[in-house]
């Protein structure tokens, strides 16, 4: 099946630093990738839709200047958490679909971010 | 009201028993339905799609009830390895996915 690679798996950083997370589709091209955040015992919350070659579409309440998304190629999207604070600590996960619609998503393995 | 709601559980199930749980959705325009499985701090993995006529995949059976706007998942002959959180995923007509918070299943020896 389709494979989506995400790294790093774990990040521990000091408050105020920026953290970059990469999401790669290894065996298919993805014009669209999705970034989610998941707090313990809660559902995945869509943060933004990453579009290759254009600006990302952010969900309501998600600060675009805080969470910078770059989708420079058909196989790579990056999420940068700028000036991270403890409240940004969460499980971040990306997904992509090889199909025309975003059904049957394949997920990256997720990144656990802990901001001290 | 949440767009996709699930009983968080946990459902404690003896090994070999059957467990079933539902997921309700609020958007009547939803087009596609899925069950994903998520292990602790891991990525969700597609378990099965849910078709209008209901479908079965081994020990797993999924049903869709459009009139009452819910889908269900039944697990027969539960295995210890079935312990996980099961996420209900619903797509709206515009393709946006909505995730439920998940139902935790714990299969005990």
């Amino acid at each position: 099946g389709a494979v989506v690679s995400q790294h790093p798996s774990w990040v521990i950083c000091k408050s105020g630093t920026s953290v970059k997370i990469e999401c790669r589709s290894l065996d298919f091209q993805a014009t669209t990738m999705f970034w989610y955040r998941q707090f313990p015992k809660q559902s995945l919350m869509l943060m933004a839709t990453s579009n290759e070659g254009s600006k990302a579409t952010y969900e309501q309440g998600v600060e675009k200047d805080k969470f910078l998304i770059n989708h420079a190629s058909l196989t790579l999207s990056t999420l940068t958490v700028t000036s991270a604070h403890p409240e940004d600590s969460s499980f971040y996960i990306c997904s992509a679909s090889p199909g025309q619609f975003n059904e049957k998503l394949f997920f990256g393995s997720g990144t656990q971010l802990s901001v001290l | 009201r949440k767009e996709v709601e699930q009983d968080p559980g946990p459902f404690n199930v003896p090994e070999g028993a059957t467990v079933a749980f539902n997921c309700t959705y609020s958007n009547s325009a939803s087009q596609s339905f899925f069950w994903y499985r998520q292990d602790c701090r891991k990525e969700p993995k597609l378990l099965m799609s849910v078709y209008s006529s209901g479908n079965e995949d081994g020990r797993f059976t999924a049903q869709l009830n459009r009139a009452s706007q819910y889908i269900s998942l039944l697990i027969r002959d539960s295995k210890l390895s079935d312990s996980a959180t099961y996420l209900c995923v619903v797509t709206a007509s515009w393709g946006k996915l909505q995730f439920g918070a998940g139902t935790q299943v714990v299969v005990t020896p």
Side-chain angles (χ1 to χ4, degrees), chain A residues 38 59 102-103 105 108 112, chain B residues 36 38 41 43 95-97:
Chain A
Q38 186 178 32
E59 295 301 301
N102 67 347
E103 299 179 356
L105 289 179
Q112 181 64 52
Chain B
Y36 278 77
Q38 185 177 28
R41 281 295 170 253
E43 74 275 23
K96 196 170 188 177
L97 290 183

Side-chain angles (χ1 to χ4, degrees), chain A residues 36 38-44 46 59 91 93 102-110 112, chain B residues 32 34 36 38 41-46 49 51 87 91 95-97 99-102 104:
Chain A
Y36 302 85
Q38 186 178 32
F39 293 106
K41 296 193 181 297
Q42 295 188 22
S43 61
L44 274 73
L46 180 65
E59 295 301 301
F91 187 62
I93 192 163
N102 67 347
E103 299 179 356
K104 296 185 180 179
L105 289 179
F106 294 91
F107 289 85
S109 54
Q112 181 64 52
Chain B
S32 303
F34 306 91
Y36 278 77
Q38 185 177 28
R41 281 295 170 253
K42 297 285 183 66
E43 74 275 23
K45 293 183 178 178
L46 179 65
S49 303
Y51 302 120
L87 304 177
T91 63
K96 196 170 188 177
L97 290 183
F99 285 82
Q104 185 183 8

Side-chain angles (χ1 to χ4, degrees), chain A residues 17-18 32 42-45 49 66 84 86-87 102 104 111:
Chain A
T17 59
S18 294
T32 304
Q42 295 188 22
S43 61
L44 274 73
M45 297 301 297
T49 301
K66 171 77 172 176
E87 59 265 28
N102 67 347
K104 296 185 180 179
T111 299

Side-chain angles (χ1 to χ4, degrees), chain B residues 20-78:
Chain B
F21 42 88
N22 296 337
C23 162
T24 59
Y25 60 94
S26 61
N27 187 350
S28 59
S30 297
Q31 298 287 317
S32 303
F33 309 87
F34 306 91
W35 283 107
Y36 278 77
R37 170 197 169 125
Q38 185 177 28
D39 294 293
C40 187
R41 281 295 170 253
K42 297 285 183 66
E43 74 275 23
K45 293 183 178 178
L46 179 65
L47 180 64
M48 60 196 304
S49 303
V50 186
Y51 302 120
S52 298
S53 55
N55 50 300
E56 188 175 305
D57 183 1
R59 298 180 292 106
F60 298 85
T61 301
Q63 298 272 351
L64 167 63
N65 186 317
R66 284 193 183 274
S68 300
Q69 293 184 203
Y70 73 87
I71 64 172
S72 65
L73 181 66
L74 181 146
I75 308 173
R76 289 188 302 277
D77 187 22
S78 298

Side-chain angles (χ1 to χ4, degrees), chain A residues 52-92:
Chain A
E52 188 268 336
S54 64
K55 292 182 179 180
T57 303
Y58 290 82
E59 295 301 301
Q60 190 173 9
V62 178
E63 300 175 56
K64 60 181 180 181
D65 295 329
K66 171 77 172 176
F67 300 98
L68 300 179
I69 290 174
N70 183 282
H71 194 155
S73 77
L74 286 171
T75 59
L76 174 63
S77 175
T78 61
L79 168 68
T80 301
V81 183
T82 61
S83 186
H85 292 284
E87 59 265 28
D88 297 323
S89 298
S90 185
F91 187 62
Y92 293 85

